[in-house]
Amino acid sequence: YYPMNIEKKYDVGFVGASYGIRKKIVDALIEKNISVKAYGNGWDSGILPLDDTNLFFNECKIILGVGTIGYCEDFYALKLRDFDAPLSGSCYVTHDNSDLHSLFEKNREVVLCRSIDEYVQKISHLLLNPEELNRISKLGHKRALNEHTYEGRLKALFKVLKIND
């Protein structure tokens, strides 16, 4: 995932099936007149081909993340999206998963939320403050690029294993 110098078509983008808290968050954003484009099973837009994900992320001002698994609303797990979204160069807003606290600076490099109301409040604020949104996007991208790529992880692993790369 990487930034592309293209027009932002959507305020918020989401990729994933429509169910549970995901649907509740998207519906709450739409109810507040926030433009959301969602792809996946159950959304009107259907499924987005994997090869089109980086382009779609780049077309969005904000990438919506949902840190829960299945229908659980109180169990969070790291997801590849937690790295792909910032690497795309767009602003990433997701659940306040404590595992992210050591990987990104909260509300400076990625925006973390604890409730549906907080998603709506923080996303509304960012859309009204494009300089802040752009600053978070750039800082999140820089952190992800410097610390959270496969190449970087493999180099660190090789160093620990004392394998020359």
Side-chain angles (χ1 to χ4, degrees):
Y1 288 78
Y2 55 91
M4 304 166 75
N5 190 19
I6 61 173
E7 178 187 352
K8 301 288 188 186
K9 296 181 182 178
Y10 311 106
D11 288 338
V12 178
F14 178 72
V15 177
S18 171
Y19 66 86
I21 196 164
R22 297 167 166 200
K23 182 165 176 25
K24 291 176 188 176
I25 295 168
V26 169
D27 288 348
L29 293 169
I30 292 170
E31 188 176 297
K32 295 295 183 182
N33 295 314
I34 295 171
S35 166
V36 181
K37 181 71 169 180
Y39 284 101
N41 285 327
W43 301 111
D44 291 340
S45 301
I47 297 172
L48 182 70
L50 183 60
D51 290 345
D52 294 342
T53 308
N54 186 62
L55 173 62
F56 175 61
F57 281 5
N58 273 271
E59 292 175 330
C60 301
K61 294 175 187 172
I62 296 170
I63 305 303
L64 177 66
V66 178
T68 59
I69 301 291
Y71 284 91
C72 294
E73 292 191 14
D74 61 350
F75 176 79
Y76 305 104
L78 286 177
K79 299 182 177 192
L80 191 55
R81 177 80 24 89
D82 296 328
F83 307 102
D84 293 345
L87 281 168
S88 76
S90 292
C91 183
Y92 186 50
V93 178
T94 191
H95 272 111
D96 190 353
N97 175 356
S98 61
D99 291 336
L100 287 170
H101 294 184
S102 64
L103 301 170
F104 292 98
E105 194 171 330
K106 180 179 178 179
N107 299 326
R108 185 170 180 269
E109 297 170 331
V110 298
V111 177
L112 305 179
C113 304
R114 292 190 174 132
S115 67
I116 294 172
D117 288 340
E118 194 171 2
Y119 270 99
V120 172
Q121 182 271 321
K122 286 186 175 183
I123 288 171
S124 296
H125 172 81
L126 288 168
L127 292 172
L128 291 172
N129 295 279
E131 288 179 6
E132 181 179 354
L133 184 143
N134 289 331
R135 184 177 63 250
I136 292 168
S137 301
K138 285 182 169 76
L139 290 171
H141 176 258
K142 182 179 178 181
R143 180 74 173 261
L145 188 62
N146 289 336
E147 297 182 25
H148 306 309
T149 63
Y150 286 119
E151 182 179 353
R153 297 274 185 227
L154 288 171
K155 283 182 179 182
L157 176 64
F158 292 164
K159 186 175 180 179
V160 168
L161 297 174
K162 298 180 179 165
I163 297 172
N164 294 331
D165 52 351

